């Protein structure tokens, strides 16, 4: 982990590279932030004092360190885990997808897996939608059991979203029958959301369409942005991209947010 951390550049990870650095790579606190774990845990892992990291932690570290497929597999093995097999939802982000995201610094972009678990979000997406932790990182859980977000919904758009999410989870369950986390997610949603259970049991069919979404931001105000959903062939990743029409007030507010968001991240 220390060798891979020294190899990863802050610029490639979307972090500021200024200030004095003893090494060219990521600091421990930067790796911890990118992987969503504590600095103390990163330290204990590197020192061999934490010997049983979970599959989720190993996956997050692999993404934060931008490991190749072979390196990711090795990381699972040294952690005493079996790399996820073909029957589980893919969570590996290829270097080419990482490079594409690096070039979209002025655009809010997020990458989710087939179960709608957020894998990676650039700083502007986080500034737009807010920090998401724990269960809130899963879009399906958030749609049915969460506390709501910054996107403004009508009754029609809410129903369309719920139907599309249920259809996505049903398709994912067919493609990845060995994924225990996916089964647990579906079971929890059926048990605690009457709306999800109704749609699931009725065999509701829907799909995500390109749309315009109105977002209520606590700092810059209301923005209406185009939302496009892209898929990555062969990996089942979903890339969500928000853009504003040039020359509009929405574009000005998004540009302002890019400045405010960067200052917040640096601070």
């Amino acid at each position: 982990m220390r060798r891979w951390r020294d190899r990863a550049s802050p610029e490639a990870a979307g972090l500021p590279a200024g200030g004095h650095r003893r090494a060219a790579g990521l600091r421990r606190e930067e790796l911890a932030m990118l992987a969503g774990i504590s600095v103390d845990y990163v330290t204990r892992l590197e020192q061999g004092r934490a010997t049983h990291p979970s599959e989720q932690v190993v996956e997050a570290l692999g993404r934060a360190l931008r490991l190749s497929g072979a390196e990711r597999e090795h990381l699972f093995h040294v952690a005493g885990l079996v790399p996820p097999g073909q029957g589980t939802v893919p969570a590996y982000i290829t270097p080419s997808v990482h490079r594409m995201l690096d070039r979209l610094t002025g655009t809010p972009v997020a990458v989710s897996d087939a179960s709608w678990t957020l894998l990676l979000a650039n700083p502007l997406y986080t500034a737009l939608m807010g920090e998401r932790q724990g269960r809130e990182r899963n879009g399906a859980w958030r749609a049915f059991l969460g506390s709501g977000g910054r996107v403004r919904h009508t009754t029609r758009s809410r129903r369309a979203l719920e139907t599309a999410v249920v259809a996505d989870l049903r398709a994912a369950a067919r493609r990845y029958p060995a994924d225990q986390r996916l089964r647990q997610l579906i079971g929890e949603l059926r048990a605690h959301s009457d709306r999800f259970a109704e749609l699931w049991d009725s065999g509701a069919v829907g799909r995500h369409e390109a749309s315009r979404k109105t977002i209520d931001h606590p700092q810059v105000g209301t923005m209406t942005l185009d939302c496009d959903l892209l898929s990555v062939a062969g990996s089942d990743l979903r890339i969500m991209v928000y853009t504003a029409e040039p020359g509009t007030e929405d574009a000005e507010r998004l540009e302002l947010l890019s400045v405010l968001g960067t200052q917040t991240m640096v601070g």
Side-chain angles (χ1 to χ4, degrees), residues 144 159 162-164 166 170 194-205:
F144 289 96
R159 288 178 177 174
E162 292 172 344
T163 303
V166 171
R170 185 182 293 109
D194 293 338
R195 174 64 175 161
F196 181 90
E198 174 191 353
L199 291 171
W200 184 271
D201 294 339
S202 68
V205 176

Side-chain angles (χ1 to χ4, degrees), residues 51-72:
T51 56
H52 299 289
S54 68
E55 180 180 316
Q56 296 95 317
V57 166
V58 173
E59 194 74 78
L61 287 169
R63 284 195 298 270
L65 293 167
R66 301 199 173 193
L67 302 185
S68 68
E71 290 169 338
R72 170 178 171 270

